Amino acid sequence: MAGPGKRDRTTPALFLRQVIAELRKVIWPTRRELRTYTIVALVFVLVMVVIVTSLDYAFTKLVFWAFG
């Protein structure tokens, strides 16, 4: 009875060469694009913090009003 097929293993050196080859294909953002993406992400996080904080405050007031 034959077991599952034996897989060919990749050597660490080959894996590293493949990773480097793939990273060379990546289109890296310019400094200006990176700054823009960072600002957009920070603004989004700040907006979400304001929304969650507001909802938390409102629900806290509602619970204290209801169960006082």
Side-chain angles (χ1 to χ4, degrees):
M1 183 165 164
K6 185 177 178 184
R7 291 181 168 209
D8 293 332
R9 295 195 59 157
T10 301
T11 64
L14 176 60
F15 176 75
L16 190 59
R17 282 195 304 268
Q18 290 174 343
V19 167
I20 291 170
E22 288 299 319
L23 285 174
R24 285 190 177 132
K25 296 178 189 177
V26 173
I27 299 174
W28 297 97
T30 63
R31 281 190 185 268
R32 184 175 182 183
E33 291 171 333
L34 188 60
R35 185 176 61 233
T36 301
Y37 299 155
T38 302
I39 291 170
V40 167
L42 289 174
V43 168
F44 175 77
V45 168
L46 288 174
V47 168
M48 293 308 295
V49 164
V50 168
I51 290 171
V52 170
T53 302
S54 300
L55 287 172
D56 181 53
Y57 180 76
F59 285 130
T60 301
K61 287 294 186 184
L62 180 66
V63 167
F64 279 136
W65 174 78
F67 299 108

